[in-house]
Amino acid sequence: MEITVAKNAGFCFGVKHAVDTVYQEIGQANGPVYTYGPIIHNDEVVNELAAKGVRILADFDALKALPAQGDKPVSVIIRSHGAPRFVHD
């Protein structure tokens, strides 16, 4: 069996943008940071973000149930796979 290693490896543009957005938000946020679903299908990245305090909202009910944070802003980042319009609204 021959194994060929690609010259370039990494995330596609959309996934890279989504992951970069979460990391930027971690550094800037004054309140909790959530992702609507796992930001990507990569357990290593998702676990690393969880270790930094990022929480995953499993579904729309979890989004609606977010508790009020007083004066703290809450950041919710849509996963790289997108979400239906009603979630954005």
Side-chain angles (χ1 to χ4, degrees):
M1 172 188 290
E2 181 179 336
I3 298 174
T4 304
V5 178
K7 291 179 184 177
N8 297 313
F11 300 135
C12 70
F13 173 79
V15 168
K16 182 176 180 346
H17 177 69
V19 171
D20 287 349
T21 299
V22 177
Y23 280 108
Q24 288 172 358
E25 195 62 25
I26 291 169
Q28 299 173 12
N30 293 324
V33 176
Y34 296 89
T35 62
Y36 186 75
I39 196 69
I40 61 173
H41 293 304
N42 180 311
D43 290 339
E44 188 174 326
V45 172
V46 171
N47 291 337
E48 182 178 320
L49 293 171
K52 294 180 179 293
V54 177
R55 301 171 201 153
I56 297 173
L57 300 170
D59 53 30
F60 188 65
D61 290 335
L63 177 64
K64 291 189 313 186
L66 277 177
Q69 299 291 316
D71 291 342
K72 285 185 173 183
V74 175
S75 299
V76 178
I77 301 165
I78 303 294
R79 61 185 165 220
S80 58
H81 306 98
R85 173 55 56 195
F86 71 88
V87 172
H88 291 258
D89 294 342

